[in-house]
Amino acid sequence: HSGSHSADRQSGGSGAVRCRYGASCKFQYCQGRTLGRCKYLHRSREEERREEEAEAARRMASRSPPPRVVFDAAATPLWLNRLGDDAAKAAQLDEPSTSSGEPCRASPPEISSEQLVWWQPFVRRALFGTFGVDYDFVRRLLAGSPATAEPGGVAVCVSPDDHTRNAAGVDHATHAPWAVVSPPFYDDAASTRERNRLKKGTMHPKLWVLEMRGEGAADAFLRVGIFSSNLGAYDSQINNCFWVHDFPLLPADAGPASPSRFGTDLLRFVEALLRPSEELTLAWRTIFAKYDLTPPAGMHIISSVPGAYRTEDHGADALRRWLKHTLRQRAPDRRPARVEYCFSSMGRLENKLVWQPLKRALLAGGAEGAE
């Protein structure tokens, strides 16, 4: 009997944990009673989950990797997520157009979250940055991965529900052995005025970093994804875009390499997310140092990190600085007069505190007369 039942939490009532079979359970000492009376006769949900993950790992070990999709952002700078069946039927993507009604470029190709992960046994370490997260979705996505069993092998950086009441830090217990990191929005010594100013602040970056490694060193690469979607299956019901690129392992005899500006900016961003954990920061700094983080020509990363800053290192000011520095070096007739952007929802883009700095940034490097 102990191997044929599982525990689950039923909605309603007192919230007691009961046998999944409820009153229909025929075992004479159970019949739907709470686990408080027969806790030794049932597996806990956590035990059941561990068994599911172990079974997934056994299935993976008996199979061969599927063909790998090599992500090269130079060839395909943007992907769309593969919608769920219901959402796909309702989507109107036949004639994409700009806000002015002009036709835009053809819709990007589609990719699924499972294809992004590719082959779970090769995922050695995973880092996610997100606003919302469905942990069961992540478990299914990474089932069979060595990263899921290693302490800190999966790190999820997520915005706390209320960072004015929930302190920043690292939670190693709730989803052990994973680490859930809540980055700080202000220092411990911040004044009440500063805390109130940032009271409604949230963290919205959508980042995936997967260290992939097969049996040999030649199979190793670092997959970096910057998305518009959160970390959950629910975002497959609306259109989302993915920027994904595979960065190769540095040759063993190459010696220390000068990091690219892209690699430096990406590492600075990851370090800002992992500030509460020196251990995780060091681990990912070591991982980044093993790979050639040179992006395709013309690609740069602009980060937005929790907190308030008077600097050009983050956000709209960083975008303005980069556009002004880079594009103003071009002849006026070679500067862009049009901007394309992609997101899953408008959010509060109409808010002047959001739109005006962004507009100034976009116009900084545009052609004369650009609007």
Side-chain angles (χ1 to χ4, degrees), residues 153-176:
V154 177
V156 180
C157 302
V158 62
S159 185
D161 294 334
D162 184 350
H163 62 81
T164 62
R165 289 195 284 182
N166 300 327
V170 188
D171 179 358
H172 290 287
T174 305
H175 299 281

Side-chain angles (χ1 to χ4, degrees), residues 40 90 110 309 350:
Y40 299 108
E110 295 183 355
Y309 303 89
E350 78 285 356

Side-chain angles (χ1 to χ4, degrees), residues 59-205:
R59 289 197 305 269
M60 288 291 179
S62 65
R63 296 168 51 198
S64 299
R68 172 188 164 192
V69 176
V70 178
F71 288 96
D72 180 358
T76 308
L78 199 65
W79 297 79
L80 281 179
N81 63 319
R82 184 159 295 149
L83 293 173
D85 292 340
D86 294 339
K89 293 176 183 178
Q92 300 294 325
L93 295 175
D94 293 335
E95 297 181 0
S97 62
T98 64
S99 58
S100 62
E102 300 176 13
C104 63
R105 291 180 294 184
S107 295
E110 295 183 355
I111 199 77
S112 67
S113 298
E114 290 74 18
Q115 287 172 299
L116 289 167
V117 171
W118 176 42
W119 183 236
Q120 289 91 334
F122 284 5
V123 181
R124 304 294 173 163
R125 199 142 189 149
L127 171 68
F128 301 102
T130 185
F131 172 71
V133 57
D134 177 350
Y135 290 98
D136 285 335
F137 166 78
V138 183
R139 286 188 182 91
R140 292 191 299 270
L141 199 63
L142 297 180
S145 161
T148 61
E150 179 184 347
V154 177
V156 180
C157 302
V158 62
S159 185
D161 294 334
D162 184 350
H163 62 81
T164 62
R165 289 195 284 182
N166 300 327
V170 188
D171 179 358
H172 290 287
T174 305
H175 299 281
W178 301 2
V180 178
V181 184
S182 295
F185 280 72
Y186 37 70
D187 295 330
D188 293 339
S191 64
T192 302
R193 179 180 179 183
E194 184 177 359
R195 292 169 185 259
N196 289 336
R197 180 170 176 254
L198 299 175
K199 185 175 183 179
K200 295 184 179 180
T202 57
M203 187 189 78
H204 270 270

Side-chain angles (χ1 to χ4, degrees), residues 171-244:
D171 179 358
H172 290 287
T174 305
H175 299 281
W178 301 2
V180 178
V181 184
S182 295
F185 280 72
Y186 37 70
D187 295 330
D188 293 339
S191 64
T192 302
R193 179 180 179 183
E194 184 177 359
R195 292 169 185 259
N196 289 336
R197 180 170 176 254
L198 299 175
K199 185 175 183 179
K200 295 184 179 180
T202 57
M203 187 189 78
H204 270 270
K206 315 319 196 267
L207 174 73
W208 289 22
V209 185
L210 305 177
E211 186 182 27
M212 313 290 289
R213 188 172 70 251
E215 298 301 326
D219 298 320
F221 62 93
L222 195 70
R223 177 162 291 174
V224 177
I226 300 171
F227 307 153
S228 68
S229 62
N230 285 300
L231 198 56
Y234 46 81
D235 265 8
S236 67
Q237 301 304 308
I238 56 176
N239 291 121
N240 279 288
C241 58
F242 300 155
W243 180 93
V244 196

